[in-house]
Amino acid sequence: MAKGTIFIDAEHCKGCTLCALACPQQVITMATEQLNRKGYHPALLTDAEQRCTGCAICALVCPDVCITVYREVHAKAGAATPQGG
Amino acid sequence: MTDLLLEPTTVPMETVYCMPQALGSQPTHYCPGCTHGVAHRLLAEALDELNLRERAILVAPVGCAVFAYQYFEMDGCEAPHGRAPAMATGIKRVQPENIVITYQGDGDLASIGAGEILHAAARGEAITVIFVNNAIYGMTGGQVAPTSLTGQRTVSSPFGREGVPLQMSELLSVLPGAAYIVRRSLHNPANIRKAKKAILTALKVQQAGLGFGMVELLSSCPTNWGLTPPQALQWIETNMLPAFPVGDYKVLDAVKEL
């Protein structure tokens, strides 16, 4: 399975939780202590087991375009197509 | 630059999703979980994919999306309440080579602007309308809108709305000037993808000069519905979809060939 990762812009995140609920691998959690400058608990990537596949569903549902998605490039695959929507 | 943020890895990474060029980096003023942000992003992605950003002019409405022209990296202007289709008509007729888009909410388009949208569609103006329908007046604090559902409780209908919601897509689809009228929803990933395709098609309709195009997007308003963002998306599915079925209400044969 292709592996990926995401970067969440925590300062732009409004803590709406939609990405955390949409993530098929459930690797996004909401911060409980950390606050951003707006006072929201931002979404965090908690992917110690590297389960993120870079499917970009989190970016698709994010209303604030906070998420950048990366996916590993495999020589044999070559089928990694953007699924940003 | 963003690559520096990644942990060191031996396998090269490619960016599969990042902010579209047509969208600025300024944070929006929308409430957490409001799908206006998704609608903005889909429109920006579609403009990028068709390489129309330099030619596009956005007409912003009055309502929650009143500052929409600040969030897009393209030309834009602000119309009086409900008059975006009239302003877009003028811009398009003076500059027919440009892509003119109005972005309107339901209070703007279906209430005070009902006359403008009706006549713009009847005249077959070659503009693209993005109609964000959240069944309530958002910016003013959650009053009943023409699109509010029967029995829906709002601050101005505390015992439930009387009457039936105005179905704009169905209404406009019977007009001969309309070339592409569809309704989509933004409540889950599959429907968001379909909405993106519809916006792409609507922009192509304008490029081809086929006539009036409108994409209605069922959108959430967690704040004024009094729900959390996930509950609001569920509310769209449970309550709005039966009253506003998603589908293609008018697609000319010429549009299918695009």
Side-chain angles (χ1 to χ4, degrees), chain A residues 3-7 11-12 14-18 21-22 38 40 50 54-74 80-85, chain B residues 2-3 5-7 9 11-20 23 25-38 41-42 45 49 188-190 192-193 196 229-230 233:
Chain A
K3 290 284 182 180
T5 190
I6 60 170
F7 167 70
E11 283 303 322
H12 282 183
K14 293 176 186 160
C16 72
T17 74
L18 296 183
L21 292 169
K38 289 186 187 137
Y40 295 120
Q50 300 207 325
C55 70
I57 285 178
C58 51
L60 191 64
V61 298
C62 175
D64 293 287
V65 207
C66 302
I67 303 176
T68 309
V69 185
Y70 305 92
R71 197 182 303 154
E72 284 182 3
V73 183
H74 289 284
T81 51
Q83 296 186 358
Chain B
T2 46
D3 288 342
L5 300 163
L6 295 172
E7 291 175 6
T9 172
V11 185
M13 288 270 195
E14 62 173 348
T15 305
V16 291
Y17 187 81
C18 63
M19 180 171 287
L23 212 55
S25 56
Q26 182 184 351
T28 62
H29 69 284
Y30 300 120
C31 303
C34 170
T35 44
H36 259 304
V38 177
R41 199 191 65 224
L42 297 184
E45 286 174 5
E49 284 181 29
N188 63 23
I192 292 173
R193 289 201 170 99
K196 163 87 174 288
L233 297 186

Side-chain angles (χ1 to χ4, degrees), chain B residues 127-142:
Chain B
I127 59 172
T128 303
V129 177
I130 308 296
F131 171 33
V132 177
N133 179 0
N134 58 12
I136 206 162
Y137 274 83
M139 184 185 72
T140 49

Side-chain angles (χ1 to χ4, degrees), chain A residues 1 12 14 16 32 36-37 46-47 53 71:
Chain A
M1 185 180 284
H12 282 183
K14 293 176 186 160
C16 72
T32 51
N36 64 17
R37 265 178 290 184
T46 46
D47 192 16
T53 61
R71 197 182 303 154

Side-chain angles (χ1 to χ4, degrees), chain B residues 96-111:
Chain B
E97 70 283 1
N98 284 357
I99 299 294
V100 184
I101 303 154
T102 77
Y103 185 103
Q104 301 177 263
D106 50 333
D108 187 81
L109 182 142
S111 181

